[in-house]
Amino acid sequence: MDNLFNKKMETLPRKEIRELQLKRLKETVKKLYENVPFYRNKFKELKIRPTDIKTLEDIRKLPLTTKDDLRNNSPFGMMVTSLDNCIELHASSGTTGIPITVCYTPNDIDVWSEVMARCLSMSGLTKKDIFQNPIPYGTFTGAFGFHYGAQKVGALVIPSGMGQSERQLKLMDYYDTTFISGVASYAMRLSQVAQKIDVDLKKLKVRNGLFGAEMFTPGLKKRIMNAWDMDVHDIYGLTEMCGPGVSTDCDQHDGLHLWEDHFLIEVLDPITLEPVEPEEEGEIVLTTLTKEGMPLLRYRTRDIAKIYDQEVCDCGRTHVKHTTIKGRSDDMIIIRGTNIYPGQIESALMKNQEVGGNWRMVLDTKNDVDMLTVEVESKNQLSQVESMDLEESLKNDIKSVIVFTPRVTVLPPNGIPQEGLKAKRVVDNRKKD
Ligand code: DLL
């Protein structure tokens, strides 16, 4: 209970959470209807008015919002307030080249700092910590979200930015950094660099890490914990909501608490768009409840998870918990009739202690048959025979989760090219008809 940043709100009885959500949902709906032509038109198509929202269940009457809707109204068409009232802009680049742009009012920044402070406190951050933030400071939301939240907790923030892994490790040593943040795969990359330059991570003072921004399986989490000898928490978020700060796992490490006073979660079947049964897996759909700049109704995240049907967690928090994100529905690949999520492959790989930090799936077509090759770095340099043995055993491990046998290629440490901020787990070179 001592790591609650905002005890009143984090332990608010569920009945009161629901009352607050309904009040805020009604306000959000009214604002959007009055100010955003996109939503007004949708309401007209669906023949609904803001006053039709009388209960939380009525949310199902409201239109869904997709990434394409945001792109079609880019950059500022979905805004509720004028840019004069905004003080910061962030964007996610995505794959199509049209960025999703979000502008924040001063209150949006306050709320973002608050939810981040809750996530960081939940992960063990206190004002005594030296907090190193190895994420690029730019239009990506990651660095600023952590920065604002850590300052709100009162920690000393080192805005070390992205890259220059050797420098990051030297700063950790020089300033006795105790807490680090980042993109999940970067923590693993740093540990590989440490091994290369003979830095003993266990001798550093780093004892806590909070990572996210991409698929983060329990297997990878355990890896990072062991490599650094630290406690690791998982943080989820997306630019469209605020950035990082939507949810984080508490010390129970069995699900991420989502801040329901600011975000309303639904889990829908991605095909029928109907709610799934309790504790069934589906797509997370989020509605902002307190956003001023660009509130969104029923935003389809494409992220797959399930929520636990639980009133109060052992940590004392009353906010709903969801499982780690299994993957994005658009990352799911179908090969030889089998649906595969990259997370399934990662879970199989991470069980093997000889596997290093990076891996990817490469798909191509040979004689009109889809082929899957899993490329994986070994932890240490291996002989040819050792590599072949490892390939054989990984083939079997992967086969047990995806039913058919893929090709496996073991590469030396750092053998997989690293581009961009987030790890690219799927390279699809298949012939498209
Ligand atoms: O990645 C915000 C963020 C920064 C979160 C730093 C956590 C830490 P976007 O670039 O808009 O924002 O990407 C959002 O990343 O829809 C998920 O698919 C994925 N994602 C984010 N956090 C997690 C996580 C930031 N903990 C998209 N586990 C989301 C799995 C995650 N996937």
Side-chain angles (χ1 to χ4, degrees):
M1 278 291 218
D2 51 351
N3 60 8
L4 296 164
F5 178 75
N6 181 340
K7 188 169 178 192
K8 178 169 183 278
M9 292 315 293
E10 291 178 51
T11 62
L12 201 65
R14 289 216 53 80
K15 186 167 167 286
E16 286 175 46
I17 293 184
R18 280 191 282 264
E19 284 163 5
L20 189 59
Q21 285 189 314
L22 181 59
K23 176 174 166 281
R24 291 180 169 175
L25 177 66
K26 285 180 180 171
E27 287 162 4
T28 301
V29 166
K30 184 166 181 289
K31 261 192 309 206
L32 287 168
Y33 181 80
E34 286 170 1
N35 296 290
V36 182
F38 166 82
Y39 280 117
R40 203 166 35 247
N41 292 336
K42 287 267 181 191
F43 276 50
K44 282 189 185 139
E45 273 168 36
L46 294 167
K47 298 195 173 42
I48 51 166
R49 318 200 97 246
T51 45
D52 291 333
I53 303 304
K54 296 194 170 71
T55 66
L56 280 180
E57 285 65 42
D58 287 335
I59 194 166
R60 286 167 58 190
K61 297 179 180 161
L62 294 172
L64 292 155
T65 311
T66 64
K67 210 180 257 290
D68 277 344
D69 294 330
L70 303 189
R71 291 214 167 95
N72 294 339
N73 291 283
S74 188
F76 305 125
M78 300 291 276
M79 299 275 304
V80 161
T81 55
S82 82
L83 290 181
D84 296 359
N85 295 324
C86 295
I87 55 165
E88 192 162 318
L89 177 152
H90 285 280
S92 73
S93 59
T95 42
T96 64
I98 301 174
I100 301 294
T101 309
V102 177
C103 294
Y104 302 64
T105 66
N107 191 60
D108 289 339
I109 297 289
D110 282 350
V111 169
W112 190 19
S113 311
E114 155 84 23
V115 288
M116 275 305 301
R118 291 186 200 173
C119 293
L120 284 157
S121 297
M122 181 151 63
S123 316
L125 188 79
T126 70
K127 66 189 298 299
K128 292 202 171 75
D129 275 297
I130 312 277
F131 176 84
Q132 192 165 323
N133 203 21
I135 313 179
Y137 281 71
T139 51
F140 176 56
T141 52
F144 283 93
F146 278 98
H147 190 105
Y148 295 144
Q151 286 193 334
K152 191 147 182 129
V153 171
L156 177 65
V157 178
I158 307 175
S160 58
M162 184 63 164
Q164 298 172 295
S165 303
E166 288 188 28
R167 178 180 143 264
Q168 297 286 353
L169 291 161
K170 281 187 187 139
L171 290 179
M172 286 175 203
D173 188 32
Y174 190 60
Y175 291 122
D176 280 344
T177 301
T178 54
F179 198 124
I180 58 172
S181 61
V183 173
S185 54
Y186 190 62
M188 215 47 226
R189 202 184 312 172
L190 275 180
S191 68
Q192 286 169 321
V193 174
Q195 199 180 10
K196 203 168 86 192
I197 61 169
D198 263 340
V199 169
D200 183 355
L201 291 179
K202 295 185 176 158
K203 288 208 177 119
L204 295 177
K205 297 276 185 314
V206 180
R207 287 294 164 263
N208 278 295
L210 180 57
F211 308 107
E214 61 186 4
M215 188 190 65
F216 192 17
T217 55
L220 179 61
K221 193 173 173 193
K222 210 160 146 203
R223 272 297 173 90
I224 301 175
M225 280 172 140
N226 290 340
W228 288 78
D229 189 19
M230 66 173 166
D231 193 16
V232 174
H233 289 254
D234 178 358
I235 181 163
Y236 170 71
L238 54 158
T239 313
E240 295 84 341
M241 292 297 111
C242 59
V246 173
S247 58
T248 289
D249 59 334
C250 62
D251 286 335
Q252 307 296 315
H253 289 298
D254 62 354
L256 289 81
H257 287 284
L258 180 134
W259 305 120
E260 290 182 278
D261 47 338
H262 297 291
F263 310 105
L264 199 158
I265 183 171
E266 296 169 84
V267 182
L268 303 186
D269 178 319
I271 312 285
T272 63
L273 300 175
E274 290 297 319
V276 297
E277 295 298 317
E279 303 218 357
E280 210 178 274
E281 195 172 274
E283 177 178 333
I284 295 188
V285 170
L286 294 170
T287 297
T288 66
L289 294 173
T290 49
K291 271 297 240 350
E292 291 183 344
M294 198 176 97
L296 292 177
L297 293 181
R298 309 189 79 202
Y299 183 66
R300 291 192 59 183
T301 65
R302 307 279 170 181
D303 295 319
I304 306 291
K306 58 183 170 187
I307 51 183
Y308 294 111
D309 211 5
Q310 184 187 32
E311 279 283 302
V312 182
C313 176
D314 286 347
C315 74
R317 292 178 181 85
T318 48
H319 294 243
V320 72
K321 272 200 293 197
H322 64 82
T323 52
T324 51
I325 306 293
K326 178 176 173 189
R328 293 180 56 78
S329 55
D330 36 17
D331 271 354
M332 187 191 79
I333 54 161
I334 303 180
I335 182 161
R336 299 191 212 162
T338 311
N339 298 357
I340 305 173
Y341 281 103
Q344 291 174 288
I345 308 263
E346 181 169 288
S347 302
L349 296 177
M350 290 302 143
K351 286 190 187 129
N352 190 312
Q353 290 310 310
E354 287 170 57
V355 165
N358 205 0
W359 69 275
R360 64 180 183 181
M361 302 158 69
V362 182
L363 296 150
D364 39 38
T365 317
K366 207 169 179 186
N367 303 331
D368 288 326
V369 178
D370 286 348
M371 306 294 289
L372 166 65
T373 307
V374 176
E375 294 183 347
V376 52
E377 290 176 7
S378 58
K379 193 167 177 189
N380 302 307
Q381 196 75 37
L382 299 181
S383 69
Q384 207 180 353
V385 176
E386 287 168 332
S387 287
M388 281 163 62
D389 283 349
L390 181 55
E391 284 169 2
E392 261 330 288
S393 86
L394 292 177
K395 263 187 209 171
N396 290 328
D397 295 344
I398 297 171
K399 186 182 173 204
S400 67
V401 286
I402 65 167
V403 186
F404 69 89
T405 313
R407 284 188 295 198
V408 174
T409 308
V410 170
L411 298 163
N414 301 313
I416 295 179
Q418 281 159 347
E419 302 144 12
L421 192 58
K422 302 193 185 195
K424 190 166 167 42
R425 300 297 188 205
V426 183
V427 181
D428 196 345
N429 299 326
R430 283 181 293 185
K431 267 197 266 166
K432 306 263 176 345
D433 294 327

